[in-house]
Amino acid sequence: MRGFLASSIGVTCAAALALPLTLPAAAAPAPASAAWSTSGARTASTTAAPDLPGSTQSLPLTPRTRDRTLGAAPEQGLTRADVHRFSLVGVTWSDPDTELRGQVQVRTRATGTGAWSGWQDVDTHNEDHGADPGTAERDSGHVHGSTAPLWVGDSDGVDVRVRANTAATRTVGNTDEQPSLLPTGLHLELVDPGAAQAPSAGARPATANRTATPRLAATELPALSRQATERDMVALGAKAQPYIGPRPRIVTRHGWGADEKLREKGFVYTKKVKAAFVHHTATGNNYRCSQAPSVIRGIYRYHVKSSGWRDIGYNFLVDKCGTIYEGRAGGVAKAVMGAHTLGFNTDSMGIAVLGTFGSAKPSSAAVTAIAKLTAWKLGLYGVNPRGKTYLKSGGGNLYRKGKNVRLNVISGHRDGFATECPGRQLYGKLGSARSTSARYQGR
């Protein structure tokens, strides 16, 4: 029994095996393994070899108006019916600090039937995700601006249009510009998440022996009762907490088929986990629960190869059936620094529910999963899910850099940054998640 908590720290890499719940920040990360040349310039196409899991096609957009000045045209787009099959789409641009003020729409051709979908909106407000300003990940030279990715299903044709909001103004320095033009370097990203690698025969969670090399084929961490979770903490030398929720079942990175060669090798940690920010992925709700691993592989590849991040941004993901998935690598019990809430990634974790919840309601299973996950993870650090905490802002559009901000321990993304995320409907469920999480902790 005592091995299961240890396994939660080592199933993806032997370097993450040790248990300490308070860790120093890691050294500066290695150069990103992303879809950019050594100079940081974008490659024209990044389609992977057929024997590798997944691929990314990066296609430059072109003006669709008489104004042929790339970057100044109020509309750009692309129509292609000869692309490699893909399931997830997004649009990226050169400067991550530039906001895309306008509308992005795509329609896709389904593989097999040849039928074209209707036009779908792509969420352009993705600049509020990502690494904090001034961090090595943000300043790597690989990061680009990006929309949220949209899950479209198995497709082999695409039509995209990007239109500037010419009625809006944008502030540059101390002046306002009119109209708001499109960012430079717009590219369409077509992501094939690839097929998950088959689990090894007899795969099981890593052993409790911390001196041994862990099994990397563990596809999930089984649920533990509250009592078993407490016993594991004490047996492994951690401080016993008076309130901690039972550990929920968690699908590991191996379980959802992460290609570990995509991300950077190192890990970055903060001192503790004081808060959880809840997000929606804005990838749409048109997926089956059996497709959730594919959606996550698509998001992972998009975050690393297209946006230039060191790994997937979220620490955990939850699907509509309530299944919890390990996100950013480094150990599910540890204070892994994510790239989920711009300005507030230090001493926090990010939980993303797969879907879009502006008007659609999240499933009760997903909300319950948030409560279970936070009861366990926050409990490891002695944090009350119904409480308040202070986080220091790293800079953003709501709070200046260095300001101590009082937040709910379980907050929505919009509490730290002016954004629609996690959607009105999911945000409205956070009060229920807080009270349920505290109940799971025994409070």
Side-chain angles (χ1 to χ4, degrees):
M1 184 68 72
R2 64 179 287 187
F4 291 137
L5 185 59
S7 71
S8 70
I9 309 164
V11 293
T12 57
C13 182
L17 187 58
L19 179 64
L21 300 179
T22 302
L23 293 165
S33 172
W36 320 106
S37 69
T38 54
S39 64
R42 188 194 309 269
T43 56
S45 178
T46 57
T47 306
D51 59 338
L52 294 179
S55 65
T56 301
Q57 300 166 87
S58 185
L59 308 173
L61 303 189
T62 57
R64 284 189 164 179
T65 64
R66 292 182 179 179
D67 185 347
R68 307 305 293 177
T69 304
L70 189 64
E75 181 175 345
Q76 295 185 35
L78 177 74
T79 302
R80 289 283 295 271
D82 59 346
V83 294
H84 176 72
R85 63 196 303 168
F86 62 94
S87 298
L88 182 139
V89 302
V91 171
T92 63
W93 54 94
S94 301
D95 186 357
D97 295 320
T98 298
E99 181 181 354
L100 195 164
R101 296 196 174 188
Q103 183 183 45
V104 178
Q105 293 183 311
V106 299
R107 65 188 189 106
T108 54
R109 186 180 63 191
T111 302
T113 67
W116 284 85
S117 71
W119 287 100
Q120 300 184 73
D121 290 322
V122 179
D123 189 344
T124 61
H125 299 96
N126 199 45
E127 74 283 349
D128 44 5
H129 296 77
D132 291 347
T135 61
E137 181 172 2
R138 180 73 175 186
D139 297 339
S140 66
H142 301 294
V143 179
H144 285 65
S146 59
T147 67
L150 178 68
W151 178 261
V152 295
D154 197 6
S155 306
D156 59 9
V158 66
D159 195 0
V160 60
R161 57 193 184 195
V162 182
R163 293 171 175 169
N165 181 7
T166 56
T169 61
R170 65 177 177 181
T171 300
V172 179
N174 295 319
T175 62
D176 289 338
E177 286 188 1
Q178 177 80 24
S180 176
L181 301 177
L182 294 175
T184 58
L186 287 168
H187 278 67
L188 174 66
E189 305 289 307
L190 304 178
V191 179
D192 171 17
Q197 296 176 346
S200 303
R204 61 182 183 274
T207 101
N209 183 356
R210 288 187 287 164
T211 63
T213 301
R215 294 179 62 91
L216 303 185
T219 58
E220 68 177 63
L221 305 176
L224 287 182
S225 69
R226 181 181 170 192
Q227 292 74 21
T229 300
E230 292 172 341
R231 286 198 299 270
D232 267 11
M233 293 181 66
V234 173
L236 292 170
K239 181 181 178 181
Q241 298 293 345
Y243 301 102
I244 185 169
R247 190 184 69 194
R249 171 180 173 265
I250 301 173
V251 176
T252 67
R253 289 172 64 91
H254 183 78
W256 54 260
D259 178 0
E260 301 297 354
K261 294 186 294 295
L262 289 180
R263 64 171 176 85
E264 290 184 3
K265 293 181 179 179
F267 309 109
V268 178
Y269 299 97
T270 60
K271 292 182 178 179
K272 60 185 72 174
V273 177
K274 298 169 60 178
F277 285 98
V278 176
H279 305 256
H280 67 175
T281 58
T283 45
N285 303 313
N286 297 321
Y287 72 93
R288 300 184 303 275
C289 290
S290 61
Q291 294 176 308
S294 294
V295 177
I296 296 171
R297 289 196 305 276
I299 295 171
Y300 171 44
R301 178 172 280 274
Y302 184 75
H303 282 181
V304 176
K305 293 295 235 180
S306 301
S307 299
W309 301 355
R310 68 190 315 274
D311 193 352
I312 192 170
Y314 309 113
N315 297 104
F316 298 93
L317 300 99
V318 176
D319 69 21
K320 64 177 68 175
C321 290
T323 302
I324 300 168
Y325 301 85
E326 177 186 12
R328 180 162 286 208
V332 296
K334 293 186 177 181
V336 179
M337 178 178 273
H340 48 83
T341 305
L342 187 68
F344 290 100
N345 291 304
T346 297
D347 294 341
S348 72
M349 67 174 179
I351 304 169
V353 181
L354 299 180
T356 305
F357 303 107
S359 57
K361 294 182 179 180
S363 67
S364 59
V367 177
T368 298
I370 293 171
K372 289 181 176 180
L373 176 59
T374 52
W376 170 70
K377 184 65 180 278
L378 294 173
L380 291 175
Y381 295 85
V383 179
N384 183 350
R386 277 197 302 236
K388 303 278 189 178
T389 191
Y390 281 92
L391 294 177
K392 182 176 289 188
S393 171
N397 64 1
L398 275 182
Y399 303 104
R400 60 174 173 78
K401 184 175 182 179
K403 180 178 176 59
N404 280 321
V405 182
R406 190 168 186 257
L407 295 162
N408 286 310
V409 164
I410 299 179
S411 285
H413 187 177
R414 63 176 63 181
D415 295 322
F417 198 98
T419 175
E420 291 298 316
C421 185
R424 178 174 56 87
Q425 295 288 351
L426 179 54
Y427 189 76
K429 297 292 185 181
L430 296 188
S432 173
R434 294 182 192 110
S435 58
T436 303
S437 179
R439 188 168 66 250
Y440 282 128
Q441 283 191 349
R443 294 181 187 269

